[in-house]
Amino acid sequence: MFTTTDFIPKKYTSTIENGNFEWSAPSNIALVKYWGKKDNQIPANPSVSFTLNNCKTITKLGFEKRTSSETNFSFDLLFEGKPKEDFKPKIQKFLERIEVYLPFLKDYHFTIDTQNTFPHSSGIASSASGMAALAMNFMSLEKVLNPEMTDEYFYQKASFLARLGSGSACRSVKGNVVVWGSQANIAGSSDLFGVEFPYTIHENFKNYQDTILLVDKGEKQVSSTVGHDLMHNHPYAERRFAQAHENLDQLITIFESGNLDEFIKVVESEALTLHAMMMTSMPYFILMKPNTLQIINAIWKFRNETQIPVCFTLDAGANVHVLYPENVSEKVLQFIQSELVVFCQNGQYICDHIGDGAMER
Ligand code: DP6
Protein backbone atom coordinates (compact mmCIF):
# COMPACT_ATOMS: atom_id res chain seq x y z
CA MET A 1 0.00 0.00 0.00
CA PHE A 2 1.29 3.46 -0.88
CA THR A 3 2.26 6.05 1.72
CA THR A 4 2.49 9.82 1.43
CA THR A 5 6.18 9.76 0.49
CA ASP A 6 5.49 7.35 -2.39
CA PHE A 7 3.44 10.14 -3.95
CA ILE A 8 6.40 12.53 -4.04
CA PRO A 9 7.89 11.75 -7.43
CA LYS A 10 11.55 11.28 -8.16
CA LYS A 11 13.00 12.58 -11.42
CA TYR A 12 10.71 12.44 -14.46
CA THR A 13 12.05 10.57 -17.48
CA SER A 14 9.97 12.26 -20.23
CA THR A 15 8.91 15.74 -21.25
CA ILE A 16 5.94 17.26 -23.04
CA GLU A 17 5.46 20.82 -24.38
CA ASN A 18 1.68 21.12 -24.65
CA GLY A 19 -1.53 19.22 -25.09
CA ASN A 20 -4.79 18.50 -23.34
CA PHE A 21 -6.69 15.81 -21.49
CA GLU A 22 -10.33 15.40 -20.64
CA TRP A 23 -11.87 13.40 -17.80
CA SER A 24 -15.29 13.05 -16.26
CA ALA A 25 -15.73 12.22 -12.59
CA PRO A 26 -19.02 11.50 -10.86
CA SER A 27 -20.47 12.70 -7.61
CA ASN A 28 -20.88 10.16 -4.79
CA ILE A 29 -23.33 9.65 -1.95
CA ALA A 30 -21.99 8.60 1.43
CA LEU A 31 -23.74 5.82 3.38
CA VAL A 32 -21.44 6.18 6.40
CA LYS A 33 -20.63 9.87 6.59
CA TYR A 34 -17.34 11.73 6.76
CA TRP A 35 -17.90 14.57 9.21
CA GLY A 36 -14.87 15.81 11.12
CA LYS A 37 -11.23 15.85 10.04
CA LYS A 38 -7.70 16.23 11.28
CA ASP A 39 -4.85 18.22 9.67
CA ASN A 40 -4.02 17.57 6.01
CA GLN A 41 -7.49 16.32 5.13
CA ILE A 42 -7.21 13.18 7.26
CA PRO A 43 -10.73 12.01 8.13
CA ALA A 44 -11.75 11.64 11.77
CA ASN A 45 -13.59 8.44 10.85
CA PRO A 46 -13.88 6.11 7.86
CA SER A 47 -16.72 6.54 5.37
CA VAL A 48 -18.23 4.54 2.52
CA SER A 49 -20.17 5.72 -0.50
CA PHE A 50 -21.96 4.70 -3.66
CA THR A 51 -20.33 6.27 -6.68
CA LEU A 52 -23.00 7.92 -8.84
CA ASN A 53 -23.27 7.78 -12.60
CA ASN A 54 -25.23 10.70 -14.08
CA CYS A 55 -24.24 13.55 -11.78
CA LYS A 56 -20.74 14.36 -12.89
CA THR A 57 -18.21 17.02 -13.73
CA ILE A 58 -16.44 17.01 -17.10
CA THR A 59 -13.11 18.82 -17.08
CA LYS A 60 -10.73 19.52 -19.91
CA LEU A 61 -7.19 20.43 -18.97
CA GLY A 62 -5.11 22.30 -21.54
CA PHE A 63 -1.42 22.73 -20.74
CA GLU A 64 1.45 24.65 -22.30
CA LYS A 65 5.05 24.74 -21.11
CA ARG A 66 6.10 28.17 -19.85
CA THR A 67 9.29 29.64 -21.26
CA SER A 68 11.00 30.60 -18.01
CA SER A 69 10.86 29.05 -14.56
CA GLU A 70 8.25 30.86 -12.51
CA THR A 71 7.40 31.17 -8.84
CA ASN A 72 3.62 31.39 -9.24
CA PHE A 73 0.92 29.12 -10.66
CA SER A 74 -0.61 30.17 -13.95
CA PHE A 75 -4.09 29.04 -14.96
CA ASP A 76 -7.32 30.18 -16.54
CA LEU A 77 -10.58 28.78 -15.31
CA LEU A 78 -13.62 28.38 -17.51
CA PHE A 79 -16.97 27.17 -16.19
CA GLU A 80 -19.34 26.12 -18.96
CA GLY A 81 -17.11 27.92 -21.42
CA LYS A 82 -17.00 31.25 -19.58
CA PRO A 83 -14.26 32.63 -17.29
CA LYS A 84 -15.21 32.10 -13.66
CA GLU A 85 -13.12 34.21 -11.31
CA ASP A 86 -14.87 33.13 -8.08
CA PHE A 87 -13.77 29.48 -8.55
CA LYS A 88 -10.11 30.48 -8.83
CA PRO A 89 -9.14 30.80 -5.13
CA LYS A 90 -10.31 27.24 -4.49
CA ILE A 91 -8.18 25.94 -7.38
CA GLN A 92 -5.22 28.08 -6.29
CA LYS A 93 -5.43 26.52 -2.81
CA PHE A 94 -5.70 23.04 -4.33
CA LEU A 95 -2.57 23.63 -6.46
CA GLU A 96 -0.66 24.85 -3.41
CA ARG A 97 -1.64 21.72 -1.47
CA ILE A 98 -0.67 19.28 -4.21
CA GLU A 99 2.46 20.98 -5.53
CA VAL A 100 4.89 18.78 -3.55
CA TYR A 101 3.28 15.73 -5.14
CA LEU A 102 3.22 17.23 -8.66
CA PRO A 103 6.40 19.33 -8.86
CA PHE A 104 5.77 20.20 -12.54
CA LEU A 105 2.74 22.38 -11.80
CA LYS A 106 4.60 25.69 -12.10
CA ASP A 107 6.23 24.67 -15.37
CA TYR A 108 2.96 24.93 -17.30
CA HIS A 109 0.17 27.36 -17.98
CA PHE A 110 -3.13 25.52 -17.56
CA THR A 111 -6.55 26.11 -19.01
CA ILE A 112 -9.14 24.34 -16.88
CA ASP A 113 -12.44 24.08 -18.72
CA THR A 114 -15.13 22.52 -16.59
CA GLN A 115 -18.85 21.79 -16.67
CA ASN A 116 -21.37 19.81 -14.64
CA THR A 117 -24.13 17.55 -15.92
CA PHE A 118 -26.39 18.64 -13.08
CA PRO A 119 -27.88 22.11 -12.77
CA HIS A 120 -25.55 24.66 -11.21
CA SER A 121 -26.63 25.78 -7.74
CA SER A 122 -28.82 22.70 -7.44
CA GLY A 123 -27.40 22.21 -3.98
CA ILE A 124 -25.59 19.13 -5.29
CA ALA A 125 -22.00 19.41 -4.17
CA SER A 126 -19.79 19.76 -7.22
CA SER A 127 -16.60 19.81 -5.17
CA ALA A 128 -16.34 16.00 -5.05
CA SER A 129 -16.79 15.46 -8.79
CA GLY A 130 -14.91 18.66 -9.68
CA MET A 131 -11.80 17.96 -7.62
CA ALA A 132 -11.76 14.32 -8.75
CA ALA A 133 -11.99 15.28 -12.44
CA LEU A 134 -9.14 17.78 -12.08
CA ALA A 135 -6.98 15.29 -10.18
CA MET A 136 -7.46 12.70 -12.97
CA ASN A 137 -6.27 15.21 -15.57
CA PHE A 138 -3.17 16.09 -13.58
CA MET A 139 -2.40 12.38 -13.23
CA SER A 140 -2.72 11.93 -17.00
CA LEU A 141 -0.08 14.61 -17.41
CA GLU A 142 2.16 13.04 -14.77
CA LYS A 143 1.82 9.69 -16.54
CA VAL A 144 3.26 11.26 -19.70
CA LEU A 145 6.23 12.52 -17.67
CA ASN A 146 6.62 9.12 -15.99
CA PRO A 147 5.42 6.49 -18.49
CA GLU A 148 6.41 3.61 -16.21
CA MET A 149 3.67 4.49 -13.74
CA THR A 150 1.40 1.55 -12.86
CA ASP A 151 -2.39 1.77 -13.02
CA GLU A 152 -2.63 1.13 -9.32
CA TYR A 153 -0.36 4.10 -8.56
CA PHE A 154 -2.22 6.26 -11.08
CA TYR A 155 -5.63 5.73 -9.48
CA GLN A 156 -4.52 5.78 -5.85
CA LYS A 157 -2.53 8.94 -6.33
CA ALA A 158 -5.47 10.53 -8.21
CA SER A 159 -7.68 9.77 -5.21
CA PHE A 160 -4.96 11.02 -2.84
CA LEU A 161 -4.77 14.34 -4.73
CA ALA A 162 -8.56 14.65 -4.97
CA ARG A 163 -8.75 14.23 -1.18
CA LEU A 164 -6.50 17.25 -0.76
CA GLY A 165 -9.00 19.25 -2.83
CA SER A 166 -12.08 18.03 -0.98
CA GLY A 167 -12.22 15.01 1.30
CA SER A 168 -15.23 13.30 -0.25
CA ALA A 169 -13.69 13.77 -3.74
CA CYS A 170 -11.31 10.88 -3.07
CA ARG A 171 -14.37 8.58 -3.20
CA SER A 172 -15.24 9.77 -6.76
CA VAL A 173 -12.29 8.21 -8.60
CA LYS A 174 -13.33 4.56 -8.48
CA GLY A 175 -16.65 2.90 -8.96
CA ASN A 176 -19.59 1.28 -7.27
CA VAL A 177 -18.77 1.21 -3.56
CA VAL A 178 -15.76 3.10 -2.19
CA VAL A 179 -14.28 3.16 1.32
CA TRP A 180 -12.14 6.03 2.55
CA GLY A 181 -10.49 5.92 5.95
CA SER A 182 -8.62 3.23 7.74
CA GLN A 183 -10.88 0.47 9.11
CA ALA A 184 -9.41 -2.60 10.82
CA ASN A 185 -11.69 -5.10 9.03
CA ILE A 186 -11.29 -3.67 5.53
CA ALA A 187 -8.05 -4.76 3.88
CA GLY A 188 -6.28 -1.96 2.04
CA SER A 189 -8.42 0.84 3.51
CA SER A 190 -6.52 4.07 4.07
CA ASP A 191 -6.95 7.58 5.40
CA LEU A 192 -4.99 8.80 2.38
CA PHE A 193 -7.23 7.70 -0.51
CA GLY A 194 -10.43 5.88 -1.36
CA VAL A 195 -10.38 2.19 -2.32
CA GLU A 196 -13.00 0.00 -3.93
CA PHE A 197 -14.87 -2.00 -1.31
CA PRO A 198 -12.92 -5.27 -1.48
CA TYR A 199 -15.53 -7.85 -0.37
CA THR A 200 -18.68 -9.48 -1.71
CA ILE A 201 -21.57 -7.23 -2.62
CA HIS A 202 -24.97 -8.91 -2.88
CA GLU A 203 -27.05 -8.75 -6.08
CA ASN A 204 -29.60 -6.60 -4.22
CA PHE A 205 -27.20 -3.67 -4.43
CA LYS A 206 -26.47 -4.06 -8.12
CA ASN A 207 -27.32 -0.85 -9.96
CA TYR A 208 -28.83 0.60 -6.77
CA GLN A 209 -30.90 3.69 -7.52
CA ASP A 210 -30.50 7.19 -6.10
CA THR A 211 -33.14 9.76 -6.95
CA ILE A 212 -32.04 13.16 -5.68
CA LEU A 213 -34.92 15.40 -4.63
CA LEU A 214 -33.92 19.05 -4.94
CA VAL A 215 -35.57 20.60 -1.91
CA ASP A 216 -33.59 23.78 -1.64
CA LYS A 217 -31.20 25.05 -4.22
CA GLY A 218 -30.03 28.09 -2.28
CA GLU A 219 -26.55 28.65 -0.95
CA LYS A 220 -25.91 26.72 2.26
CA GLN A 221 -25.65 28.87 5.38
CA VAL A 222 -22.76 26.78 6.66
CA SER A 223 -20.10 25.21 4.43
CA SER A 224 -18.92 21.62 4.93
CA THR A 225 -15.46 22.91 5.83
CA VAL A 226 -16.88 24.95 8.71
CA GLY A 227 -19.06 22.01 9.74
CA HIS A 228 -16.09 19.64 9.87
CA ASP A 229 -14.24 22.14 12.01
CA LEU A 230 -17.07 22.24 14.53
CA MET A 231 -16.41 18.57 15.30
CA HIS A 232 -13.30 19.71 17.20
CA ASN A 233 -14.36 19.91 20.87
CA HIS A 234 -17.83 18.70 19.92
CA PRO A 235 -19.45 17.06 22.96
CA TYR A 236 -20.42 13.91 21.04
CA ALA A 237 -17.45 13.69 18.64
CA GLU A 238 -15.62 10.68 20.10
CA ARG A 239 -18.77 8.58 20.37
CA ARG A 240 -19.78 9.57 16.86
CA PHE A 241 -16.41 8.59 15.37
CA ALA A 242 -16.60 5.21 17.12
CA GLN A 243 -20.15 4.75 15.81
CA ALA A 244 -18.99 5.33 12.21
CA HIS A 245 -16.55 2.41 12.62
CA GLU A 246 -19.35 0.24 14.03
CA ASN A 247 -21.72 1.15 11.20
CA LEU A 248 -19.08 0.45 8.58
CA ASP A 249 -18.46 -2.97 10.13
CA GLN A 250 -22.18 -3.64 9.98
CA LEU A 251 -22.26 -2.68 6.32
CA ILE A 252 -19.60 -5.29 5.52
CA THR A 253 -22.03 -7.97 6.69
CA ILE A 254 -25.02 -6.27 5.07
CA PHE A 255 -23.34 -5.95 1.68
CA GLU A 256 -22.66 -9.66 1.77
CA SER A 257 -26.09 -10.81 2.97
CA GLY A 258 -28.15 -8.31 0.97
CA ASN A 259 -30.30 -7.63 4.05
CA LEU A 260 -32.09 -4.46 3.00
CA ASP A 261 -33.90 -3.92 6.33
CA GLU A 262 -30.56 -3.73 8.08
CA PHE A 263 -29.12 -1.58 5.28
CA ILE A 264 -31.94 0.92 5.72
CA LYS A 265 -31.38 1.15 9.48
CA VAL A 266 -27.69 1.95 9.13
CA VAL A 267 -28.11 4.40 6.25
CA GLU A 268 -30.98 6.42 7.71
CA SER A 269 -29.36 6.51 11.14
CA GLU A 270 -26.14 7.81 9.57
CA ALA A 271 -28.02 10.59 7.75
CA LEU A 272 -29.85 11.72 10.87
CA THR A 273 -26.69 11.45 12.99
CA LEU A 274 -24.86 13.73 10.55
CA HIS A 275 -27.54 16.36 11.01
CA ALA A 276 -27.69 15.72 14.75
CA MET A 277 -23.99 16.60 14.89
CA MET A 278 -24.77 19.92 13.20
CA MET A 279 -27.61 20.61 15.59
CA THR A 280 -25.44 19.88 18.64
CA SER A 281 -22.29 21.78 17.64
CA MET A 282 -21.45 25.24 18.95
CA PRO A 283 -22.50 27.28 17.08
CA TYR A 284 -25.41 24.98 16.15
CA PHE A 285 -27.18 25.02 12.82
CA ILE A 286 -29.89 23.26 10.83
CA LEU A 287 -29.54 22.48 7.12
CA MET A 288 -32.76 20.50 6.75
CA LYS A 289 -35.83 22.40 5.55
CA PRO A 290 -39.48 21.71 6.40
CA ASN A 291 -39.83 19.84 3.09
CA THR A 292 -36.86 17.61 3.97
CA LEU A 293 -38.89 16.36 6.95
CA GLN A 294 -42.07 16.09 4.88
CA ILE A 295 -40.22 13.82 2.47
CA ILE A 296 -38.68 11.69 5.23
CA ASN A 297 -42.09 11.15 6.81
CA ALA A 298 -43.70 10.33 3.47
CA ILE A 299 -40.95 7.75 2.76
CA TRP A 300 -41.50 6.13 6.17
CA LYS A 301 -45.26 5.96 5.62
CA PHE A 302 -44.87 4.50 2.12
CA ARG A 303 -42.35 1.93 3.33
CA ASN A 304 -44.62 0.89 6.19
CA GLU A 305 -47.63 0.49 3.94
CA THR A 306 -45.95 -1.25 1.00
CA GLN A 307 -42.92 -3.00 2.56
CA ILE A 308 -40.92 -1.68 -0.41
CA PRO A 309 -37.29 -1.23 0.76
CA VAL A 310 -36.84 2.43 -0.06
CA CYS A 311 -34.90 4.74 2.25
CA PHE A 312 -33.32 8.17 2.38
CA THR A 313 -29.98 9.71 3.06
CA LEU A 314 -28.88 13.33 3.34
CA ASP A 315 -25.79 15.31 2.49
CA ALA A 316 -24.78 18.50 4.23
CA GLY A 317 -27.88 20.22 2.86
CA ALA A 318 -31.64 20.06 2.52
CA ASN A 319 -31.82 17.76 -0.53
CA VAL A 320 -32.94 14.18 -0.03
CA HIS A 321 -31.32 11.18 -1.73
CA VAL A 322 -33.90 8.42 -2.15
CA LEU A 323 -32.16 5.03 -2.30
CA TYR A 324 -33.77 1.81 -3.57
CA PRO A 325 -32.99 -1.41 -5.43
CA GLU A 326 -33.44 -1.51 -9.18
CA ASN A 327 -36.27 -4.07 -9.09
CA VAL A 328 -38.65 -1.66 -7.33
CA SER A 329 -37.78 1.34 -9.52
CA GLU A 330 -41.10 1.59 -11.24
CA LYS A 331 -43.17 1.64 -8.03
CA VAL A 332 -40.79 4.03 -6.26
CA LEU A 333 -40.70 6.45 -9.19
CA GLN A 334 -44.51 6.46 -9.25
CA PHE A 335 -44.50 7.23 -5.53
CA ILE A 336 -41.92 10.01 -6.00
CA GLN A 337 -43.95 11.58 -8.78
CA SER A 338 -47.27 11.37 -7.01
CA GLU A 339 -46.21 12.21 -3.45
CA LEU A 340 -42.71 13.68 -3.20
CA VAL A 341 -42.30 16.01 -6.18
CA VAL A 342 -44.59 18.56 -4.49
CA PHE A 343 -41.88 19.06 -1.87
CA CYS A 344 -39.14 19.75 -4.44
CA GLN A 345 -38.19 23.26 -5.50
CA ASN A 346 -39.77 23.79 -8.93
CA GLY A 347 -40.64 20.07 -8.87
CA GLN A 348 -37.02 19.22 -9.69
CA TYR A 349 -35.37 15.87 -9.08
CA ILE A 350 -32.52 13.90 -10.68
CA CYS A 351 -32.52 10.14 -11.32
CA ASP A 352 -29.17 8.51 -10.76
CA HIS A 353 -27.73 5.12 -9.87
CA ILE A 354 -24.45 3.47 -8.94
CA GLY A 355 -21.67 4.05 -11.47
CA ASP A 356 -18.10 3.12 -12.34
CA GLY A 357 -16.09 6.21 -11.39
CA ALA A 358 -13.90 8.60 -13.35
CA MET A 359 -13.52 8.08 -17.11
CA GLU A 360 -11.14 9.50 -19.66
CA ARG A 361 -12.92 11.04 -22.66
C1 DP6 B 1 -21.72 15.54 4.56
O1 DP6 B 1 -15.80 16.47 1.34
O2 DP6 B 1 -17.33 18.47 1.12
O3 DP6 B 1 -21.06 15.12 2.33
O4 DP6 B 1 -13.10 17.90 2.87
O5 DP6 B 1 -13.96 20.09 3.67
O6 DP6 B 1 -14.10 19.53 1.24
P1 DP6 B 1 -14.11 19.01 2.66
O7 DP6 B 1 -15.56 18.42 2.92
P2 DP6 B 1 -16.54 17.57 2.01
O8 DP6 B 1 -17.50 16.95 3.13
C2 DP6 B 1 -18.53 16.08 2.77
C3 DP6 B 1 -19.38 15.78 3.92
C4 DP6 B 1 -20.64 14.99 3.66
C5 DP6 B 1 -20.43 13.52 4.03
C6 DP6 B 1 -19.67 12.66 3.06
O9 DP6 B 1 -19.71 12.88 1.84
O10 DP6 B 1 -19.06 11.70 3.56
Side-chain angles (χ1 to χ4, degrees), residues 218-232:
E219 275 287 305
K220 280 189 278 185
Q221 310 117 289
V222 183
S223 73
S224 289
T225 307
V226 171
H228 286 293
D229 215 37
L230 293 174
M231 288 305 281
H232 293 293

Side-chain angles (χ1 to χ4, degrees), residues 314-347:
L314 307 168
D315 258 343
N319 295 338
V320 181
H321 289 248
V322 185
L323 300 176
Y324 48 97
E326 192 180 21
N327 66 358
V328 295
S329 291
E330 210 173 310
K331 288 197 182 103
V332 174
L333 276 171
Q334 255 168 32
F335 158 65
I336 289 172
Q337 277 151 8
S338 64
E339 293 185 47
L340 302 185
V341 164
V342 289
F343 302 121
C344 299
Q345 212 171 13
N346 308 323

Side-chain angles (χ1 to χ4, degrees), residues 271-290:
L272 294 180
T273 300
L274 169 70
H275 285 258
M277 290 300 111
M278 301 173 189
M279 290 191 257
T280 50
S281 63
M282 190 56 77
Y284 42 80
F285 57 103
I286 300 180
L287 295 184
M288 290 185 286
K289 296 283 178 193

Side-chain angles (χ1 to χ4, degrees), residues 61-77:
L61 181 74
F63 57 92
E64 195 163 343
K65 196 101 178 233
R66 297 161 90 184
T67 43
S68 54
S69 65
E70 307 274 353
T71 53
N72 60 331
F73 295 112
S74 174
F75 65 98
D76 295 318
L77 187 80

Side-chain angles (χ1 to χ4, degrees), residues 30 33-35 37 41 166-168 171 224-225 228 274 315-316:
K33 308 289 181 179
Y34 150 57
W35 198 244
K37 59 176 152 181
Q41 294 284 100
S166 177
S168 56
R171 298 189 313 242
S224 289
T225 307
H228 286 293
L274 169 70
D315 258 343

Side-chain angles (χ1 to χ4, degrees), residues 11-16 65 108 143-148:
K11 240 185 129 33
Y12 292 126
T13 52
S14 281
T15 56
I16 184 167
K65 196 101 178 233
Y108 293 92
K143 180 145 172 102
V144 174
L145 304 176
N146 172 19
E148 267 93 82

Side-chain angles (χ1 to χ4, degrees), residues 172-197:
S172 278
V173 168
K174 282 291 184 168
N176 294 344
V177 180
V178 176
V179 178
W180 167 41
S182 161
Q183 170 86 343
N185 293 332
I186 301 184
S189 60
S190 168
D191 286 346
L192 300 178
F193 42 77
V195 296
E196 280 170 282
F197 181 78

